[in-house]
Amino acid sequence: QVQLVESGGGLVQAGGSLRLSCAASGSIFSITNMGWYRQSPGQQRELVANSASGGNTNYADSVKGRFTISRDNAKSTVYLQMNSLKPEDTAVYYCNAYLWPVGKSGYYEYWGQGTQVTVSS
């Protein structure tokens, strides 16, 4: 069973930091893009940051300079280091990845279960 397992959310004061982790598990042949999205109540899910297998990264304007995405390909894991957190960063954060499961013929999109990040003012 291929899946994404997230960890690292929680409650933090404004100005603080959190680090999210997302590990892909199961029989995986290959991974391309890995990234993070977030969704606040009543809002659409939005891209926070993503990382291509070749190393290119992309960030939402609202998090540039504060968040850093990184990945450890040997561990099939993507991280999101979040610094200088603001109350408006409060959301459920979802890991997203395109995985090629063993026995399949291409990449499929997978989502993690979501982890709550709450930033108090």
Side-chain angles (χ1 to χ4, degrees):
Q1 181 78 6
V2 173
Q3 60 181 346
L4 299 174
V5 180
E6 302 160 356
S7 60
L11 173 64
V12 65
Q13 288 188 330
S17 298
L18 282 174
R19 188 192 194 209
L20 305 182
S21 299
C22 171
S25 64
S27 298
I28 301 168
F29 173 69
S30 180
I31 303 175
T32 56
N33 287 3
M34 302 186 80
W36 294 91
Y37 287 71
R38 66 186 181 187
Q39 188 169 21
S40 304
Q43 303 294 319
Q44 288 189 338
R45 191 172 296 188
E46 63 175 0
L47 174 69
V48 177
N50 60 21
S51 172
S53 57
N56 289 340
T57 58
N58 182 45
Y59 294 91
D61 287 343
S62 60
V63 306
K64 283 181 181 176
R66 300 188 297 122
F67 291 11
T68 302
I69 189 169
S70 62
R71 56 193 287 176
D72 184 337
N73 291 326
K75 295 181 178 180
S76 301
T77 300
V78 63
Y79 306 95
L80 185 68
Q81 177 66 43
M82 304 185 292
N83 298 329
S84 303
L85 282 160
K86 305 175 181 179
E88 51 264 44
D89 294 318
T90 296
V92 177
Y93 284 69
Y94 296 92
C95 178
N96 172 272
Y98 286 82
L99 313 176
W100 186 329
V102 170
K104 299 292 186 181
S105 58
Y107 291 97
Y108 292 78
E109 185 178 27
Y110 288 82
W111 291 91
Q113 78 280 7
T115 184
Q116 177 70 46
V117 171
T118 302
V119 184
S120 63
S121 57

